[in-house]
Amino acid sequence: MSVDLNTVKRVAGLARIKVNDEQAEKMTGELNAILGFVEQLDEVNIDGVEPMTSVVEQKMKMREDGQTDGGYADKIVKNAPVSEDNFFMVPKVVE
């Protein structure tokens, strides 16, 4: 795939980036180099290679799945204009 000057200007417009003609010419070469590298990656044989999330084998740290109130509800509603029993009180909006 090759990128031309019009494509660079269109992408810059979509990204809301102001690009003059000189910058667009430079970006055309840079984007073509990036796309060339990506095309090289497509040629790599990955048959039988398992997907991985890290290059180092790691076991996920697990924690107990429990539910708590956090223990500081009074601190949360401290700055609320109106609260009752650690709940925010708001005006009624639907009749």
Side-chain angles (χ1 to χ4, degrees):
M1 180 178 183
S2 180
V3 176
D4 61 354
L5 189 61
N6 290 332
T7 305
V8 171
K9 287 183 178 182
R10 183 171 184 274
V11 170
L14 291 171
R16 305 284 193 251
I17 299 172
K18 186 176 182 180
V19 177
N20 61 31
D21 290 338
E22 182 180 320
Q23 292 170 328
E25 284 288 339
K26 183 179 176 186
M27 285 183 188
T28 302
E30 292 173 353
L31 287 174
N32 281 325
I34 292 169
L35 291 174
F37 179 71
V38 171
E39 286 175 357
Q40 283 181 346
L41 291 176
D42 281 341
E43 296 171 6
V44 176
N45 182 9
I46 56 170
D47 292 337
V49 177
E50 291 291 321
M52 46 198 285
T53 59
S54 175
V55 294
V56 179
E57 187 74 28
Q58 296 180 359
K59 183 144 173 107
M60 291 291 292
K61 297 177 184 173
M62 304 295 280
R63 63 173 172 81
E64 183 181 329
D65 189 16
Q67 183 178 6
T68 67
D69 65 354
Y72 46 87
D74 53 335
K75 291 180 184 177
I76 293 173
V77 297
K78 180 177 158 185
N79 292 326
V82 181
S83 65
E84 183 178 304
D85 295 328
N86 291 330
F87 290 100
F88 293 99
M89 301 296 293
V90 295
K92 190 173 185 178
V93 293
V94 178
E95 294 293 328

